[in-house]
Amino acid sequence: MHLLIAEDDRALGVFLRRGLEAEGNQVALVADGQAAIETFVAESPDLTILDLNLPRKDGMEVLRFLRTVNDELPILILTARSEMETKIRCLDLGADDCMLKPFSLQELRARCRALVRRRREVGLVLRYADLEVNRVDRSVKRAGESVQLTNKEFALLECLLLGRGRSISRADLLERVWEMNPTAGTNVVDVYVNYLRRKLKDTGANPLIKTVRGQGYSIGARA
């Protein structure tokens, strides 16, 4: 899943990002309200974790704006404010859940999973031909049979399916899946595509994952 964390406490933000990435999520971390809005609009994250005490634009202002952009994507509020009025106001503005600081990372993960499960959207299950990818429980099936993938293999397959019908360059994949400089001299993308092909038994004259000459890789587009 693609998550957005808006938290101005750098240590806490890094802790949250690492804790959620450990479950295989891709996480964008921003430190102010304006950056939260820009990232939300650009990336449409599957879940947003929003602190209320943010510089530039405070969390309440950000929450109000995000709900004018999209009223379906889940938003979880983190706050040190224990007043009931704060929680009620957040929920009235469109927040899906609120957690008080300090909190348990284990509970936060569980609440994130619950929020995403409750979100009714076809995009949570990606399908193409006989391939099915569930983005909530991170399961993959090919022709009805389960396929076990590592976190990076899953992220690569997810990225290709989200861009179905068009070619995605090696540079874009390197940046989005591995968060590496797109100009880095590495063949990690090609290596992992081969891993995927082997695990998906993707061989023959018409493979699911196609090599687009001079461009990159694609699912659902002509080579």
Side-chain angles (χ1 to χ4, degrees):
M1 303 300 289
H2 298 266
L3 310 182
L4 168 62
I5 299 173
E7 172 59 64
D8 68 328
D9 182 328
R10 176 168 175 77
L12 177 57
V14 171
F15 170 75
L16 287 172
R17 183 178 65 188
R18 289 174 177 171
L20 292 166
E21 284 179 339
E23 290 194 321
N25 300 296
Q26 292 179 283
V27 182
L29 174 62
V30 299
D32 65 73
Q34 183 59 40
I37 288 173
E38 293 170 359
T39 305
F40 184 93
V41 170
E43 300 184 7
S44 297
D46 297 302
L47 173 73
T48 297
I49 299 174
L50 180 64
D51 180 40
L52 289 185
N53 295 321
L54 294 173
R56 298 180 71 190
K57 292 183 183 294
D58 68 39
M60 289 287 189
E61 186 179 358
V62 173
L63 174 60
R64 186 182 295 108
F65 181 85
L66 296 188
R67 280 303 177 229
T68 67
V69 175
N70 187 301
D71 61 0
E72 294 182 355
L73 296 173
I75 299 175
L76 185 152
I77 298 295
L78 288 181
T79 179
R81 307 175 196 174
S82 59
E83 304 89 351
M84 181 60 67
E85 291 79 7
T86 298
K87 182 175 182 179
I88 291 173
R89 188 180 176 199
C90 288
L91 294 173
D92 284 344
L93 286 174
D96 296 278
D97 199 358
C98 294
M99 286 192 71
L100 285 176
K101 298 176 181 179
F103 55 86
S104 158
L105 177 61
Q106 186 175 4
E107 182 183 357
L108 176 70
R109 286 170 167 170
R111 290 200 188 195
C112 288
R113 291 193 296 269
L115 287 175
V116 173
R117 279 197 303 269
R118 290 202 295 267
R119 176 186 163 205
R120 296 179 179 179
E121 184 176 348
V122 174
L124 292 178
V125 178
L126 305 175
R127 294 183 178 89
Y128 180 74
D130 60 355
L131 179 66
E132 180 179 299
V133 174
N134 189 309
R135 302 173 70 200
V136 178
D137 60 21
R138 303 184 67 77
S139 63
V140 177
K141 290 183 179 180
R142 178 87 196 269
E145 294 186 6
S146 294
V147 180
Q148 300 300 316
L149 300 181
T150 66
N151 288 337
K152 287 301 182 187
E153 290 166 351
F154 184 94
L156 175 58
L157 180 60
E158 180 183 41
C159 190
L160 290 170
L161 279 169
L162 288 171
R164 189 177 68 186
R166 60 184 178 85
S167 63
I168 304 177
S169 69
R170 290 174 177 82
D172 283 345
L173 291 169
L174 195 62
E175 186 174 23
R176 291 159 63 180
V177 176
W178 283 271
E179 297 183 354
M180 294 175 63
N181 189 318
T183 62
T186 174
N187 67 341
V188 66
V189 174
D190 302 310
V191 170
Y192 271 77
V193 166
N194 287 332
Y195 290 163
L196 272 182
R197 284 172 168 163
R198 185 170 65 248
K199 289 189 176 182
L200 294 172
K201 299 178 182 177
D202 190 21
T203 58
N206 188 32
L208 283 174
I209 303 174
K210 294 180 171 61
T211 301
V212 183
R213 193 171 303 172
Q215 297 182 46
Y217 295 99
S218 74
I219 288 180
R222 292 184 179 180

